[in-house]
Amino acid sequence: MPNFLFDAIRARMPSPARLLLETDLGRTISYGEMLELSGQMAGALVERGVQPGDRVAAQVEKSPEAIMLYLACVRAGAVFLPLNTAYTVAELGYFLGDATPRLVVVDPLKRETVAPVAGQAGARVETLGRRGDGSLMDIAARQPAAFADVARAAEDLAAILYTSGTTGRSKGAMLSHANLASNAEVLVETWRFTGDDVLIHALPIFHTHGLFVATNVVLFAAAAMLFEQKFDPDRMISLFPRATSLMGVPTFYVRLLQHAGLTQESTKSIRLFVSGSAPLLSETHVAWRARTGHAILERYGMTETNMNTSNPYEGERRAGTVGLPLRGTDLRIADPESGAPLGRGEIGMIEVRGPNVFRGYWQMPEKTAAEFRPDGFFITGDLGKIDVDGYVHIVGRGKDLIIAGGYNIYPKEIESEIDALPGVVESAVIGVPHPDLGEGVTAVIVRSPGAAIGAEEVMAAIGERLARFKHPRHIAFVDDLPRNTMGKVQKNLLREAYKDVFDRRA
Ligand code: MCA
Ligand code: AMP
């Protein structure tokens, strides 16, 4: 039956024997095996009661099986909901309660801890283990390799990815089959991917970058990937001779520049280095070019929109810019308040419209409506301008967001946890320059008179509640937070006051 996204992958499949991925342990999966394994996994989902439109949540370590689970969801007509492996059980409880998935798939060691929150959300827990341990893999092994894909139309949902909210709780961005397929198609074309490409895949697969940009581009190009458990500079250098491309966050490039093995010679088989998810400093772009002769191609996207812009493959890759709108995506700069379009060179809100833009926030029609203009443009929350040559520059964020190592962190979530502690009056959480992660989380806290709470107590208290990457790396105590005449905390002043805390330590 027609299945919009998987049909597009099938239509581009190379011969079954061609390599799809090779892991860092040397395990390989061919395109033919992918078809069989994802079909068996789809059969296992159906046996476990998954119906079209059901959500299937997954908090699993990076593995080929996790990719098969994603493809199985697409084929079974389910909605894949990947979750950061760093999320605590408290964080997980919210996502499961909101998305009410039919199944929650976890690694075997997490089954016991996740079972209570899954139960509260009415979801059944399955493990993604090995064959022989009663996991989904066992059920899959009993299924026929041929699976009749469930019919799904272009606008049907393929995935929900949660993006933290600037106010309130995280919102589930609903991504359709057409959102994912259209973006993969245009990226393959823009970045000239072909069946001869070998991508180094060292990103996590619970976010847009690693799951859709990297994996779908490989599948849509019938290319191969070297599928690494995590980013490791030594491994990258040793893999370069076998690869043609790398996709990473700026921290990848910053760390690789510190490696003596990064040279023109060691990177000579690579045709494309792509950076995204956070701003790539011009100095990183320039240093990379000087060391390797390659100009990193920077692009810009969001969970809600997939990729919006890219520097050109041919033509100037301009440092400090995110390039030109992708084919099919309209991008404009508008007055943040009125939405009135602004002219070339003027700074305003970046707004986008196109087949890449999501279908709204899961069960939040008001929030969805508030983030779209009447003519269908999505308000990104990023501030930027378009220069005379049409290149888009991101100059700041209209949203209170920290990006550390490519992970988005919403200050409000951390402030709420800190403010709830005894002895704390209030707090402000800011991101300040960090030499490795781009931005480092800093908490500025006002204590109640006489309270003795210190940094250690704060860390101990929030440690169990928030994922490790959200934890402040610097904590300061002050008498008052700076406020404007409206009473709003002036985070710009705090960012200025603490701008050197990480540089000093580097
Ligand atoms: C790890 N830690 C972090 C981060 N990663 N802390 C803050 N921010 C982070 N990003 C913590 C670990 O828990 C650990 O804690 C300590 O830092 C040191 O870990 P380390 O070994 O240095 O980290 P790593 O494992 O090397 O990871 C760094 C990383 C990784 C490679 C940059 O964070 C990463 O792969 N980031 C990519 C994120 C990504 O895919 N973003 C795309 C989002 P302890 O102190 O306990 O040891 S999609 C998106 O943004 C849009 C759509 C887009 O445009 O792409
Ligand atoms: P996420 O919520 O994880 O989808 O993150 C999306 C946000 O990451 C965007 O709204 C931007 O603020 C930021 N972002 C992504 N790519 C870039 C880039 N190349 N330069 C600057 N910011 C970026």
Side-chain angles (χ1 to χ4, degrees):
M1 280 209 256
N3 178 295
F4 193 88
L5 179 55
F6 204 75
D7 283 356
I9 293 170
R10 274 181 197 276
R12 292 164 173 82
M13 272 236 334
S15 81
R18 287 290 291 246
L19 181 74
L20 167 61
L21 66 84
E22 180 182 319
T23 70
D24 35 8
L25 299 173
R27 217 180 119 203
T28 60
I29 297 207
S30 68
Y31 273 86
E33 286 166 328
M34 176 276 285
L35 206 52
E36 290 184 6
L37 292 170
S38 63
Q40 288 182 305
M41 189 78 86
L45 294 178
V46 172
E47 191 180 305
R48 279 299 191 239
V50 171
Q51 312 252 334
D54 279 350
R55 277 77 57 211
V56 173
Q59 191 190 34
V60 291
E61 291 301 329
K62 186 174 180 180
S63 71
E65 285 72 23
I67 295 287
M68 296 307 134
L69 179 62
Y70 153 58
L71 294 173
C73 287
V74 172
R75 297 182 66 180
V79 182
F80 188 54
L81 165 45
L83 293 163
N84 193 324
T85 46
Y87 288 149
T88 62
V89 174
E91 289 168 317
L92 215 58
Y94 169 75
F95 298 117
L96 302 184
D98 190 58
T100 56
R102 169 84 53 178
L103 296 186
V104 183
V105 184
V106 295
D107 294 314
L109 286 175
K110 280 201 174 143
R111 180 191 265 280
E112 299 301 316
T113 46
V114 171
V117 283
Q120 277 162 21
R124 177 180 180 140
V125 183
E126 296 288 345
T127 58
L128 192 67
R130 292 179 210 300
R131 292 198 172 172
D133 65 358
S135 70
L136 263 189
M137 297 304 297
D138 270 340
I139 306 166
R142 298 198 299 265
Q143 310 296 320
F147 178 83
D149 298 340
V150 170
R152 289 281 95 178
E155 64 276 12
D156 284 326
L157 297 191
I160 294 179
L161 266 63
Y162 274 83
T163 99
S164 310
T166 37
T167 53
R169 302 306 305 249
S170 290
K171 299 169 283 187
M174 301 190 287
L175 295 156
S176 69
H177 278 236
N179 289 151
L180 303 183
S182 65
N183 215 231
E185 200 177 324
V186 78
L187 293 177
V188 166
E189 168 194 311
T190 307
W191 297 338
R192 311 284 194 271
F193 269 81
T194 73
D196 294 330
D197 272 301
V198 179
L199 173 78
I200 303 179
H201 189 310
L203 289 158
I205 53 169
F206 40 72
H207 279 314
T208 295
H209 199 163
L211 186 62
F212 302 139
V213 183
T215 308
N216 283 349
V217 161
V218 165
L219 287 164
F220 271 61
M225 51 187 164
L226 301 175
F227 199 67
E228 295 289 294
Q229 189 66 31
K230 60 176 290 202
F231 172 77
D232 171 37
D234 288 335
R235 286 282 303 167
M236 299 298 107
I237 302 283
S238 70
L239 292 175
F240 282 159
R242 297 180 52 208
T244 63
S245 49
L246 171 71
M247 292 181 192
V249 295
T251 301
F252 281 21
Y253 295 101
V254 168
R255 290 188 184 177
L256 279 164
L257 275 165
Q258 289 157 17
H259 197 294
L262 183 80
T263 62
Q264 202 147 1
E265 180 60 24
S266 66
T267 56
K268 72 170 191 263
S269 79
I270 306 281
R271 64 169 188 86
L272 183 61
F273 288 102
V274 181
S275 176
S277 307
L280 181 77
L281 294 180
S282 291
E283 66 194 58
T284 309
H285 184 102
V286 170
W288 191 269
R289 188 164 210 163
R291 275 278 281 286
T292 68
H294 293 278
I296 299 173
L297 181 151
E298 184 170 9
R299 59 44 171 197
Y300 157 61
M302 286 180 80
T303 303
E304 288 92 331
T305 64
N306 297 288
M307 299 304 102
N308 296 311
T309 72
S310 170
N311 269 279
Y313 187 77
E314 280 137 17
E316 189 191 351
R317 297 179 196 164
R318 211 170 272 186
T321 84
V322 293
L324 308 156
L326 292 168
R327 180 178 60 74
T329 297
D330 299 325
L331 183 147
R332 71 183 179 198
I333 306 294
D335 180 274
E337 304 306 323
S338 69
L342 298 176
R344 281 277 155 109
E346 288 187 275
I347 293 174
M349 179 62 70
I350 300 178
E351 301 185 351
V352 293
R353 185 174 65 183
N356 51 315
V357 177
F358 75 139
R359 305 216 42 217
Y361 295 112
W362 172 253
Q363 290 182 331
M364 291 183 176
E366 294 86 14
K367 288 219 163 96
T368 303
E371 300 203 22
F372 279 90
R373 300 285 183 200
D375 59 359
F377 273 82
F378 174 66
I379 305 165
T380 63
D382 292 312
L383 300 174
K385 63 174 185 182
I386 303 177
D387 70 19
V388 284
D389 301 318
Y391 284 70
V392 177
H393 300 236
I394 298 177
V395 299
R397 295 180 202 132
K399 50 194 174 190
D400 192 14
L401 162 71
I402 299 169
I403 307 185
Y407 284 147
N408 285 11
I409 299 167
Y410 279 89
K412 181 99 179 62
E413 194 184 358
I414 306 167
E415 288 161 2
S416 307
E417 294 291 344
I418 297 177
D419 293 353
L421 299 177
V424 170
V425 175
E426 61 174 351
S427 64
V429 170
I430 51 171
V432 294
H434 188 286
D436 179 44
L437 297 168
E439 291 178 332
V441 178
T442 293
V444 186
I445 303 175
V446 180
R447 280 185 281 228
S448 345
I453 184 166
E456 268 179 37
E457 288 84 1
V458 171
M459 293 302 290
I462 65 175
E464 296 155 22
R465 312 235 350 127
L466 297 175
R468 176 78 187 106
F469 68 89
K470 299 176 188 170
H471 295 183
R473 284 163 181 257
H474 180 80
I475 295 182
F477 292 93
V478 295
D479 293 337
D480 294 297
L481 296 176
R483 290 182 188 278
N484 65 14
T485 48
M486 312 287 287
K488 197 170 179 293
V489 175
Q490 291 171 298
K491 288 201 168 177
N492 52 335
L493 297 183
L494 291 174
R495 282 187 209 105
E496 181 59 28
Y498 293 95
K499 70 179 191 314
D500 294 328
V501 290
F502 297 114
D503 274 355
R504 278 205 300 270
R505 289 177 200 178

